[in-house]
């Protein structure tokens, strides 16, 4: 860490020099890229370059004499291991957010800079209101100050774009564009400015490779209500043979031409702009041209969330392949961990995640991991978004649980699952809390609910068993999943905060309660599910994930008859789905690990 600290010191010193030159007191450094993505390309890892923090969500403020980094509950442990806390104060993303810090900690009358391409409208509104209350000014920068001090900043990605065939997509791009056009007309919008690459990938039936683990291409689009699309993309990414891409009604424009095109077209027009996921530069361009920004969730986001039958069948088939890989992996662990421990050559976190990847690669439709695996042994698992590195690569032992959260990108769909296992007798604390996590998992997996139900209404079902113990976890309980796209897909979420989006059949989610004891262990059980019709007009969840669940860690006597019934039925389904697809070792392991529980 000394080298990292030296780099941070140098970067802060240089950034403060830029502040002085620009006549600023401070600058906001978000983790966002111009597409407001959760996963960013190396070119856009400005927050990591400046602070050393490698998590997927955060903001920083650097002033002439202070620096503060804001991260959410998933990263409160990790951030202190990665960041020099002598240089950066650590604040909670939600409990004491950036706008509150500006209002309460900033001297009055100061000027704070932002890059308007890296800040969405919703965040901009909070920052501006906070600065107004301090009598200060939020200054829009034409150049990024972190870029100006980053000597070896990687270039922007130019990975090739390919067509996504209709046999996987299930609906032609022209049909999707007409649907979006109709929604724009209903909303009273003349056109939509779309800056989310996964939305554009879905709309145009294309896929790319500009960021790791998510097959999207960095680009933006203007979508008219008649379904015509101007696509702002680097043409170097496009194939010479574009016959697989539906080009009717699609005009390719220079990648850097979006803002100028908005200014040119927005006069006296109503323009739909997503306030949470489009850079504020778009909204300001609409206003500068005399247009009216209509700040609403992108209709593409909402349409994409409801999968068609071809997409759903692709998910189901992908999960069979993924279930085979997972079961082969768990069988390998079951056989190899005790042997390797006895030989004094323990399996490590990195070796384990590599082995799961190797089993996935045997799947005929597998492309790549859907995110960097969370392979965490012992106390490392208390960091719920931990990523193993050579310097933290812990052995798998018999004393504490091992947690692995991992997923795959298959042509038919995107997978995401977590399993926690123990290779020796579990302690009383582990057994008690794992049982609570498992009970919460079953409660949400078996829920039936009316269509008006939203994610925050259901979240407490998964937390209740932990709450009964006076415990909780500081992350959401589940998220939407894209179809061979982002493993974290908007708009649906299970969490404590309000999520004003109802469910309907075809929405794909994860269910993933957990518990984390800092310095000791972490536990999580996660399945992917699709929303399906239940009885009497209600909805319910149907599992997609087909991976055995470790019940040996649970206190069986604490499970209800209904909970035992669910686990037995789930394991019977896994056995049936994977029958004849496994190696002899994995088949024997599956048979042992899914024997019915007798309560």
């Amino acid at each position: 860490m000394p080298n990292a600290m030296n780099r941070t010191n140098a970067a802060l010193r240089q950034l403060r020099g830029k502040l002085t030159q620009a006549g600023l007191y401070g600058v906001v450094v978000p983790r966002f890229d111009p597409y407001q993505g959760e996963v960013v390309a190396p070119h856009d890892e400005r927050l990591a370059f400046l602070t050393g923090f490698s998590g997927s969500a955060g903001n920083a403020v650097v002033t002439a004499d202070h620096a503060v980094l804001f991260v959410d509950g998933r990263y409160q442990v990790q951030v202190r291991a990665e960041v020099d806390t002598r240089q950066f104060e650590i604040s909670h993303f939600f409990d004491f957010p950036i706008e509150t810090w500006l209002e309460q900690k900033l001297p009055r009358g100061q000027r704070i800079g932002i890059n308007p391409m890296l800040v969405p409208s919703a965040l901009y509104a909070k920052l501006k209101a906070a600065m107004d209350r301090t009598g200060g000014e939020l200054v829009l920068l034409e150049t990024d100050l972190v870029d100006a001090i980053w000597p070896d900043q990687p270039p922007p990605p130019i990975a090739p774009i390919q067509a996504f065939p209709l046999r996987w997509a299930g609906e032609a791009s022209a049909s999707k564009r007409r649907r979006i056009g109709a929604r724009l007309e209903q909303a009273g919008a003349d056109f939509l400015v779309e800056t989310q690459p996964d939305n554009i990938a879905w709309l145009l039936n294309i896929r790319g490779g500009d960021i790791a683990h998510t097959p999207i291409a960095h680009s933006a689009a203007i979508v008219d209500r008649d379904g015509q699309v101007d696509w702002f993309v680097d043409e170097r990414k496009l194939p010479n043979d574009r016959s697989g891409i539906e080009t009717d009604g699609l005009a390719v424009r220079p990648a850097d031409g979006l803002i100028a095109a908005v200014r040119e077209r927005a006069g006296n027009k109503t323009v739909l702009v997503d306030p949470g996921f489009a850079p504020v530069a778009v909204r300001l361009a609409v206003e500068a041209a005399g247009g009216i920004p209509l700040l609403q969730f992108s209709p593409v986001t909402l349409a994409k969330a409801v999968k068609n039958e071809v997409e759903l069948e692709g998910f189901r088939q992908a999960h069979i392949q993924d279930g085979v890989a997972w079961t082969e992996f768990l069988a390998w662990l079951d056989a190899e961990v005790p042997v390797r421990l006895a030989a004094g050559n323990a399996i490590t976190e990195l070796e384990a995640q590599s082995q799961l990847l190797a089993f996935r690669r045997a799947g005929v439709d597998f492309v790549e991991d859907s995110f960097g695996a969370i392979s965490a042994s012992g106390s490392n698992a208390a960091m719920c978004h931990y990523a193993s590195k050579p310097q933290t690569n812990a052995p798998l032992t018999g004393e504490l649980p091992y947690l692995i959260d991992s997923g795959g990108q298959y042509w038919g769909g995107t997978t995401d699952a977590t399993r926690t296992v123990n290779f020796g007798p579990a302690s009383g604390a582990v057994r008690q809390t794992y049982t609570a996590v498992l009970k919460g998992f079953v409660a949400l997996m078996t829920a039936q609910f009316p269509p008006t139900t939203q994610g925050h209404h259901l979240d407490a079902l998964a937390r209740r068993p932990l709450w009964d113990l006076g415990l909780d976890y500081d992350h959401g309980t589940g998220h939407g999943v894209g179809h061979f796209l982002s493993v974290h897909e908007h708009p649906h979420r299970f969490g404590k905060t309000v999520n004003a989006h109802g469910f309907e059949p075809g929405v794909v989610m994860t269910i993933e309660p957990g518990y984390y004891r800092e310095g000791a262990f972490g536990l999580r059980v996660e399945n992917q599910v699709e929303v399906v019709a239940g009885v009497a007009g209600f909805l319910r969840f149907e599992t997609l994930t087909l991976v055995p669940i470790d019940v040996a860690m649970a206190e069986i006597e604490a499970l209800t008859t209904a909970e035992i019934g669910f686990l037995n039925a789930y394991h019977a389904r896994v056995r049936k789905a994977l029958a004849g697809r496994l190696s002899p070792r994995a088949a024997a392991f599956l048979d042992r690990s899914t024997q019915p529980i007798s309560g």
Side-chain angles (χ1 to χ4, degrees), residues 27-188:
V27 65
V28 174
V29 182
R31 190 178 177 277
F32 291 127
D33 61 13
Y35 313 98
Q36 317 303 303
E38 178 184 18
V39 180
V40 300
H43 170 79
D44 297 302
E45 288 280 12
R46 296 173 182 86
L47 190 65
F49 163 75
L50 183 66
T51 69
F53 172 61
S54 65
S56 63
N59 291 312
V61 175
V62 176
T63 71
D65 53 10
H66 204 80
V68 58
L69 175 61
F70 303 84
V71 299
D72 64 32
R74 297 171 297 172
Y75 296 115
Q76 289 296 315
V77 176
Q78 177 180 330
V79 69
R80 288 168 172 81
E82 292 182 336
V83 174
D84 183 356
T85 54
R86 297 172 302 178
Q87 295 288 339
F88 281 90
E89 173 191 344
I90 308 301
S91 186
H92 197 287
F93 202 90
F94 300 108
D95 295 346
F96 197 78
I98 186 170
E99 63 271 17
T100 303
W101 190 93
L102 289 173
E103 185 173 353
Q104 295 187 11
K105 302 289 188 178
L106 206 64
R108 292 191 60 80
Q110 301 300 328
R111 302 175 77 240
I112 299 292
I114 65 163
N115 180 340
M117 288 301 295
L118 304 184
V119 174
S121 287
L123 177 58
Y124 172 82
K126 294 177 182 178
L127 298 177
K128 188 174 187 308
M131 292 302 298
D132 288 346
R133 286 191 288 269
T134 70
E137 180 185 359
L138 195 62
V139 179
L140 304 178
L141 303 175
E142 294 184 2
T143 59
D144 192 277
L145 297 187
V146 175
D147 290 355
I149 64 165
W150 193 351
D152 53 353
Q153 182 180 21
I158 52 169
I161 289 172
Q162 60 183 316
F164 190 56
L166 189 60
R167 70 185 184 95
W168 294 117
E171 182 182 7
S173 175
S175 172
K176 294 178 180 179
R177 293 181 224 166
R178 285 193 296 271
R179 285 206 285 139
I180 299 305
R183 294 192 182 196
L184 292 173
E185 189 166 3
Q186 291 169 5

Side-chain angles (χ1 to χ4, degrees), residues 440 443-444 447-450 453-464 473 477 493-495 503 511 539 541:
L444 192 46
Q448 186 161 271
F449 49 93
T453 304
Q454 298 168 350
H456 58 286
H457 298 147
L458 296 171
D459 180 70
L461 295 176
R463 296 181 190 270
R464 169 66 190 274
Y473 50 93
T477 303
R493 289 286 186 275
F494 298 121
F503 294 105
I511 292 175
L539 301 173
F541 300 116

